[in-house]
PDB file of all heavy atoms in Angstrom:
ATOM      1  N   GLN A 375       5.576   1.747  -0.103  1.00  0.00           N
ATOM      2  CA  GLN A 375       5.138   2.193   1.189  1.00  0.00           C
ATOM      3  C   GLN A 375       5.671   3.533   1.673  1.00  0.00           C
ATOM      4  O   GLN A 375       5.061   4.354   2.465  1.00  0.00           O
ATOM      5  CB  GLN A 375       5.429   1.065   2.282  1.00  0.00           C
ATOM      6  CG  GLN A 375       4.858   1.282   3.673  1.00  0.00           C
ATOM      7  CD  GLN A 375       3.269   1.454   3.607  1.00  0.00           C
ATOM      8  OE1 GLN A 375       2.496   0.680   2.890  1.00  0.00           O
ATOM      9  NE2 GLN A 375       2.753   2.412   4.375  1.00  0.00           N
ATOM     10  N   THR A 376       6.838   3.835   1.219  1.00  0.00           N
ATOM     11  CA  THR A 376       7.447   4.973   1.631  1.00  0.00           C
ATOM     12  C   THR A 376       6.703   6.245   1.189  1.00  0.00           C
ATOM     13  O   THR A 376       6.593   7.223   1.906  1.00  0.00           O
ATOM     14  CB  THR A 376       9.015   5.165   0.984  1.00  0.00           C
ATOM     15  OG1 THR A 376       9.765   4.051   1.523  1.00  0.00           O
ATOM     16  CG2 THR A 376       9.701   6.552   1.433  1.00  0.00           C
ATOM     17  N   ILE A 377       6.182   6.103   0.009  1.00  0.00           N
ATOM     18  CA  ILE A 377       5.497   7.292  -0.684  1.00  0.00           C
ATOM     19  C   ILE A 377       3.968   7.289  -0.105  1.00  0.00           C
ATOM     20  O   ILE A 377       3.344   8.319   0.003  1.00  0.00           O
ATOM     21  CB  ILE A 377       5.459   7.044  -2.181  1.00  0.00           C
ATOM     22  CG1 ILE A 377       6.883   7.169  -2.783  1.00  0.00           C
ATOM     23  CG2 ILE A 377       4.567   8.086  -2.794  1.00  0.00           C
ATOM     24  CD1 ILE A 377       7.001   6.810  -4.156  1.00  0.00           C
ATOM     25  N   LEU A 378       3.452   6.155   0.209  1.00  0.00           N
ATOM     26  CA  LEU A 378       1.925   6.061   0.542  1.00  0.00           C
ATOM     27  C   LEU A 378       1.451   6.953   1.521  1.00  0.00           C
ATOM     28  O   LEU A 378       0.438   7.762   1.239  1.00  0.00           O
ATOM     29  CB  LEU A 378       1.640   4.607   0.874  1.00  0.00           C
ATOM     30  CG  LEU A 378       0.126   4.251   1.036  1.00  0.00           C
ATOM     31  CD1 LEU A 378      -0.580   4.599  -0.172  1.00  0.00           C
ATOM     32  CD2 LEU A 378      -0.054   2.811   1.550  1.00  0.00           C
ATOM     33  N   ASN A 379       1.976   7.108   2.679  1.00  0.00           N
ATOM     34  CA  ASN A 379       1.412   7.881   3.701  1.00  0.00           C
ATOM     35  C   ASN A 379       1.375   9.425   3.404  1.00  0.00           C
ATOM     36  O   ASN A 379       0.509  10.124   3.546  1.00  0.00           O
ATOM     37  CB  ASN A 379       2.119   7.698   5.138  1.00  0.00           C
ATOM     38  CG  ASN A 379       1.766   6.480   5.800  1.00  0.00           C
ATOM     39  OD1 ASN A 379       0.715   5.924   5.588  1.00  0.00           O
ATOM     40  ND2 ASN A 379       2.689   5.890   6.606  1.00  0.00           N
ATOM     41  N   TYR A 380       2.477   9.888   2.692  1.00  0.00           N
ATOM     42  CA  TYR A 380       2.611  11.293   2.275  1.00  0.00           C
ATOM     43  C   TYR A 380       1.540  11.576   1.249  1.00  0.00           C
ATOM     44  O   TYR A 380       0.845  12.516   1.314  1.00  0.00           O
ATOM     45  CB  TYR A 380       3.942  11.591   1.778  1.00  0.00           C
ATOM     46  CG  TYR A 380       5.097  11.523   2.881  1.00  0.00           C
ATOM     47  CD1 TYR A 380       5.722  10.319   2.982  1.00  0.00           C
ATOM     48  CD2 TYR A 380       5.296  12.638   3.617  1.00  0.00           C
ATOM     49  CE1 TYR A 380       6.767  10.314   3.961  1.00  0.00           C
ATOM     50  CE2 TYR A 380       6.327  12.611   4.640  1.00  0.00           C
ATOM     51  CZ  TYR A 380       6.966  11.393   4.707  1.00  0.00           C
ATOM     52  OH  TYR A 380       7.899  11.345   5.720  1.00  0.00           O
ATOM     53  N   VAL A 381       1.311  10.689   0.308  1.00  0.00           N
ATOM     54  CA  VAL A 381       0.388  10.847  -0.796  1.00  0.00           C
ATOM     55  C   VAL A 381      -1.101  10.938  -0.242  1.00  0.00           C
ATOM     56  O   VAL A 381      -1.773  11.823  -0.621  1.00  0.00           O
ATOM     57  CB  VAL A 381       0.479   9.695  -1.856  1.00  0.00           C
ATOM     58  CG1 VAL A 381      -0.631   9.830  -2.783  1.00  0.00           C
ATOM     59  CG2 VAL A 381       1.827   9.757  -2.627  1.00  0.00           C
ATOM     60  N   MET A 382      -1.296   9.955   0.623  1.00  0.00           N
ATOM     61  CA  MET A 382      -2.703   9.912   1.049  1.00  0.00           C
ATOM     62  C   MET A 382      -3.088  11.005   2.052  1.00  0.00           C
ATOM     63  O   MET A 382      -4.210  11.494   2.033  1.00  0.00           O
ATOM     64  CB  MET A 382      -2.990   8.487   1.846  1.00  0.00           C
ATOM     65  CG  MET A 382      -3.180   7.456   0.869  1.00  0.00           C
ATOM     66  SD  MET A 382      -4.474   7.724  -0.303  1.00  0.00           S
ATOM     67  CE  MET A 382      -5.831   8.155   0.706  1.00  0.00           C
ATOM     68  N   PHE A 383      -2.102  11.607   2.899  1.00  0.00           N
ATOM     69  CA  PHE A 383      -2.468  12.746   3.664  1.00  0.00           C
ATOM     70  C   PHE A 383      -2.914  13.899   2.802  1.00  0.00           C
ATOM     71  O   PHE A 383      -3.700  14.674   3.082  1.00  0.00           O
ATOM     72  CB  PHE A 383      -1.277  12.986   4.603  1.00  0.00           C
ATOM     73  CG  PHE A 383      -1.670  13.972   5.677  1.00  0.00           C
ATOM     74  CD1 PHE A 383      -2.205  13.525   6.850  1.00  0.00           C
ATOM     75  CD2 PHE A 383      -1.508  15.407   5.570  1.00  0.00           C
ATOM     76  CE1 PHE A 383      -2.608  14.323   7.772  1.00  0.00           C
ATOM     77  CE2 PHE A 383      -1.867  16.216   6.550  1.00  0.00           C
ATOM     78  CZ  PHE A 383      -2.465  15.753   7.727  1.00  0.00           C
ATOM     79  N   PHE A 384      -1.998  14.200   1.691  1.00  0.00           N
ATOM     80  CA  PHE A 384      -2.386  15.278   0.751  1.00  0.00           C
ATOM     81  C   PHE A 384      -3.662  14.972   0.119  1.00  0.00           C
ATOM     82  O   PHE A 384      -4.535  15.888  -0.053  1.00  0.00           O
ATOM     83  CB  PHE A 384      -1.256  15.251  -0.447  1.00  0.00           C
ATOM     84  CG  PHE A 384      -0.045  15.882   0.010  1.00  0.00           C
ATOM     85  CD1 PHE A 384       1.257  15.367  -0.460  1.00  0.00           C
ATOM     86  CD2 PHE A 384       0.018  16.940   0.791  1.00  0.00           C
ATOM     87  CE1 PHE A 384       2.424  15.923  -0.139  1.00  0.00           C
ATOM     88  CE2 PHE A 384       1.184  17.555   1.160  1.00  0.00           C
ATOM     89  CZ  PHE A 384       2.395  17.003   0.707  1.00  0.00           C
ATOM     90  N   ASP A 385      -3.975  13.787  -0.337  1.00  0.00           N
ATOM     91  CA  ASP A 385      -5.223  13.312  -1.144  1.00  0.00           C
ATOM     92  C   ASP A 385      -6.460  13.517  -0.217  1.00  0.00           C
ATOM     93  O   ASP A 385      -7.535  13.950  -0.658  1.00  0.00           O
ATOM     94  CB  ASP A 385      -5.064  12.080  -1.647  1.00  0.00           C
ATOM     95  CG  ASP A 385      -4.276  11.955  -2.984  1.00  0.00           C
ATOM     96  OD1 ASP A 385      -3.880  12.945  -3.344  1.00  0.00           O
ATOM     97  OD2 ASP A 385      -4.102  10.826  -3.523  1.00  0.00           O
ATOM     98  N   THR A 386      -6.372  12.935   1.020  1.00  0.00           N
ATOM     99  CA  THR A 386      -7.583  13.096   1.917  1.00  0.00           C
ATOM    100  C   THR A 386      -8.038  14.535   2.152  1.00  0.00           C
ATOM    101  O   THR A 386      -9.191  14.826   2.145  1.00  0.00           O
ATOM    102  CB  THR A 386      -7.296  12.266   3.197  1.00  0.00           C
ATOM    103  OG1 THR A 386      -6.147  12.838   3.857  1.00  0.00           O
ATOM    104  CG2 THR A 386      -7.095  10.775   2.947  1.00  0.00           C
ATOM    105  N   ILE A 387      -7.075  15.230   2.438  1.00  0.00           N
ATOM    106  CA  ILE A 387      -7.332  16.767   2.687  1.00  0.00           C
ATOM    107  C   ILE A 387      -7.813  17.401   1.444  1.00  0.00           C
ATOM    108  O   ILE A 387      -8.898  18.084   1.329  1.00  0.00           O
ATOM    109  CB  ILE A 387      -6.122  17.435   3.261  1.00  0.00           C
ATOM    110  CG1 ILE A 387      -5.798  16.966   4.677  1.00  0.00           C
ATOM    111  CG2 ILE A 387      -6.358  18.995   3.272  1.00  0.00           C
ATOM    112  CD1 ILE A 387      -4.630  17.598   5.318  1.00  0.00           C
ATOM    113  N   GLY A 388      -7.181  17.264   0.329  1.00  0.00           N
ATOM    114  CA  GLY A 388      -7.519  17.700  -0.954  1.00  0.00           C
ATOM    115  C   GLY A 388      -8.888  17.334  -1.533  1.00  0.00           C
ATOM    116  O   GLY A 388      -9.763  18.139  -1.836  1.00  0.00           O
ATOM    117  N   LEU A 389      -9.224  16.085  -1.411  1.00  0.00           N
ATOM    118  CA  LEU A 389     -10.413  15.558  -1.895  1.00  0.00           C
ATOM    119  C   LEU A 389     -11.558  15.988  -1.002  1.00  0.00           C
ATOM    120  O   LEU A 389     -12.662  16.307  -1.589  1.00  0.00           O
ATOM    121  CB  LEU A 389     -10.300  13.993  -2.053  1.00  0.00           C
ATOM    122  CG  LEU A 389     -10.047  13.512  -3.451  1.00  0.00           C
ATOM    123  CD1 LEU A 389      -8.595  13.799  -3.775  1.00  0.00           C
ATOM    124  CD2 LEU A 389     -10.263  11.953  -3.548  1.00  0.00           C
ATOM    125  N   SER A 390     -11.482  15.809   0.278  1.00  0.00           N
ATOM    126  CA  SER A 390     -12.537  16.189   1.109  1.00  0.00           C
ATOM    127  C   SER A 390     -12.811  17.722   1.125  1.00  0.00           C
ATOM    128  O   SER A 390     -14.076  18.153   1.060  1.00  0.00           O
ATOM    129  CB  SER A 390     -12.229  15.798   2.670  1.00  0.00           C
ATOM    130  OG  SER A 390     -11.071  16.432   3.016  1.00  0.00           O
ATOM    131  N   THR A 391     -11.909  18.440   0.912  1.00  0.00           N
ATOM    132  CA  THR A 391     -12.094  19.961   0.838  1.00  0.00           C
ATOM    133  C   THR A 391     -12.600  20.268  -0.530  1.00  0.00           C
ATOM    134  O   THR A 391     -13.616  21.145  -0.547  1.00  0.00           O
ATOM    135  CB  THR A 391     -10.753  20.767   0.992  1.00  0.00           C
ATOM    136  OG1 THR A 391      -9.969  20.340   2.138  1.00  0.00           O
ATOM    137  CG2 THR A 391     -10.991  22.226   1.068  1.00  0.00           C
ATOM    138  N   ALA A 392     -12.246  19.620  -1.597  1.00  0.00           N
ATOM    139  CA  ALA A 392     -12.803  19.768  -2.918  1.00  0.00           C
ATOM    140  C   ALA A 392     -14.336  19.475  -2.856  1.00  0.00           C
ATOM    141  O   ALA A 392     -15.144  20.092  -3.531  1.00  0.00           O
ATOM    142  CB  ALA A 392     -12.125  19.042  -3.940  1.00  0.00           C
ATOM    143  N   ALA A 393     -14.628  18.350  -2.183  1.00  0.00           N
ATOM    144  CA  ALA A 393     -16.101  17.927  -2.106  1.00  0.00           C
ATOM    145  C   ALA A 393     -16.931  19.027  -1.506  1.00  0.00           C
ATOM    146  O   ALA A 393     -18.091  19.145  -1.799  1.00  0.00           O
ATOM    147  CB  ALA A 393     -16.127  16.607  -1.353  1.00  0.00           C
TER     148      ALA A 393
END
Side-chain angles (χ1 to χ4, degrees):
Q375 187 58 41
T376 301
I377 296 173
L378 183 59
N379 283 334
Y380 293 93
V381 170
M382 279 310 301
F383 195 84
F384 286 141
D385 279 357
T386 53
I387 292 178
L389 265 67
S390 58
T391 310

